[in-house]
Amino acid sequence: MKKRRATVGGQTGRQKGAHRAWSPLRFGPGAWMPVVLLLALALVGLAACESAEDDGGAAGTVSTSESSKKPSGDVKGRIGEDVQVGNAIITVRALEATFQPAVPEQRLSEEAPTALKAGESFYQAYVRVRNTGTAPIRVDPTDFFCAAGEAVVGIESTRSGPIPRSLLKNASLDLVLTFKAKAGFEPLLIYRPPWSDGVVAIRPGPEEGLTTTTR
């Protein structure tokens, strides 16, 4: 008959001895060093992988601002020229001083127009804006200004139109823009569209051989 070995806590004496032999507590705090080092290396490796994934995602992503970057830079042109700003083509057909300006069919304001004061004159421009790009562009008459001498004035809403519109590809809009400023100056038409970071300046008098574009 075989003798049974005495057990301690459900373990044989040999198993208990083996447990004591490999227990880290038996060898003091230094026995935990390999475990701590392995854990530290694992955490460092995980952090490196996450950093690499983040960097890779940033490098492979094209931001919306870059893909839809606004045209920048000021543009100068003359009457009758096609001035391109990004995907828009701007053509000023007329820009002159007048005491009897034409009234557009659709005005920005239905209020009664105001008369000129002494020493003032109307300056009127006929402008066409055409969109050649896929993305729509917003054309608003209030984005146009007129410089006469040292003064820069906005449009006369009762004598300007039509109302703002968004232009799809190949669509165009004809505008009648009327300004009121001191008489006796050569007007300068200024356009500050919201889809451009630059300013478009148009002067009277065509100049042969001048073509100005910006993208």
Side-chain angles (χ1 to χ4, degrees), residues 67-113:
S67 60
S68 58
K69 185 178 180 181
K70 292 183 179 180
S72 60
D74 297 340
V75 182
K76 297 180 180 179
R78 298 275 181 172
I79 291 178
E81 296 173 346
D82 291 339
V83 179
Q84 185 169 357
V85 181
N87 293 324
I89 296 179
I90 305 158
T91 307
V92 179
R93 295 180 293 167
L95 175 60
E96 58 187 4
T98 178
F99 289 99
Q100 293 182 345
V103 179
E105 294 182 2
Q106 185 184 51
R107 300 183 298 160
L108 287 177
S109 173
E110 295 299 329
E111 296 182 3

Side-chain angles (χ1 to χ4, degrees), residues 57-69:
T61 302
V62 179
S63 65
T64 304
S65 60
E66 291 178 353
S67 60
S68 58
K69 185 178 180 181

Side-chain angles (χ1 to χ4, degrees), residues 121-173:
S121 173
F122 289 115
Y123 295 92
Q124 195 164 58
Y126 293 83
V127 183
R128 171 173 290 179
V129 181
R130 182 165 63 94
N131 182 20
T132 63
T134 303
I137 61 174
R138 185 74 171 172
V139 179
D140 189 339
T142 60
D143 292 328
F144 288 86
F145 303 85
C146 180
E150 296 181 354
V152 177
V153 297
I155 63 169
E156 291 286 309
S157 59
T158 57
R159 299 178 185 269
S160 302
I163 61 175
R165 295 178 185 173
S166 294
L167 301 181
L168 302 178
K169 184 176 182 179
N170 295 328
S172 62
L173 182 65

